[in-house]
């Protein structure tokens, strides 16, 4: 019973541990956070692990028909920043700058991949968009 709970909620426990470590021992975390090699290794590892459960035919279909990935990348990297820039003129000060910054931030693994998977969408497209917008 406890083992099943821990195995299904491991990410929540890992996240709580990381937050506690950041709050109570920030000096050790700062050194690790400043390491570009460590950051790139973590991103590559997470993307690799997220791609493992994908079926190979879904991946090949995404490569052969890249329209969805191209459209998503265009929306994420071009259209959203332009819309945010236009709407930022309606706001003042830091809120205006914050809206533009939020719009140009790359699509994260959580929003592009995890929620797509949970919604039953095309995981391959979500991972491609994540890789393209993060790089």
């Amino acid at each position: 019973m406890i083992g099943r709970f821990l195995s299904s909620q491991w990410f929540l426990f890992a996240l709580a541990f990381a937050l506690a470590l950041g709050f109570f021992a920030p000096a050790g975390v700062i050194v690790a956070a400043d390491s570009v090699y460590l950051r790139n290794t973590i991103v590559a590892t997470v993307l690799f692990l997220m791609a493992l459960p994908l079926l190979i035919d879904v991946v090949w279909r995404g490569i052969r028909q890249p329209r969805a990935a191209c459209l998503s990348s265009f929306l994420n990297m071009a259209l959203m920043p332009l819309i945010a820039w236009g709407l930022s003129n309606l706001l003042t000060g830091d809120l205006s700058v914050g809206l533009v910054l939020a719009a140009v931030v790359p699509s994260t693994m959580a929003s592009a991949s995890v929620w797509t998977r949970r919604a039953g969408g095309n995981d391959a497209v979500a991972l491609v968009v994540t890789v393209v917008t993060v790089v």
Side-chain angles (χ1 to χ4, degrees):
M1 177 82 174
I2 293 176
R4 180 183 288 175
F5 176 75
L6 290 176
S7 68
S8 68
Q9 301 297 325
W10 68 269
F11 183 76
L12 182 61
F13 290 116
L15 184 60
F17 175 75
L19 286 172
L21 190 63
F23 278 118
F24 300 115
V29 178
I30 290 172
V31 173
D34 287 341
S35 170
V36 174
Y37 176 75
L38 179 63
R39 236 179 311 163
N40 290 341
T41 302
I42 290 171
V43 169
T45 302
V46 168
L47 286 173
F48 176 74
L49 292 174
M50 290 177 72
L52 278 179
L54 291 177
L55 299 173
I56 195 69
D57 61 329
V58 173
V59 174
W60 280 115
R61 191 173 346 125
I63 292 171
R64 284 191 308 257
Q65 300 170 346
R67 288 180 302 196
C70 291
L71 177 63
S72 298
S73 297
F74 170 76
L75 291 173
N76 193 342
M77 294 187 295
L79 190 60
M80 284 308 298
L82 286 174
I83 291 171
W85 177 62
L87 290 175
S88 72
N89 293 324
L90 302 173
L91 303 171
T92 60
D94 291 342
L95 193 56
S96 147
V97 174
L99 179 66
V100 173
L101 287 175
V104 299
V105 169
S107 178
T108 64
M109 290 176 264
S111 65
S113 300
V114 174
W115 289 113
T116 300
R117 183 172 292 163
R118 292 194 52 106
N122 189 337
D123 287 349
V125 171
L127 282 171
V128 167
V129 171
T130 300
V131 169
V132 168
T133 59
V134 169
V135 172

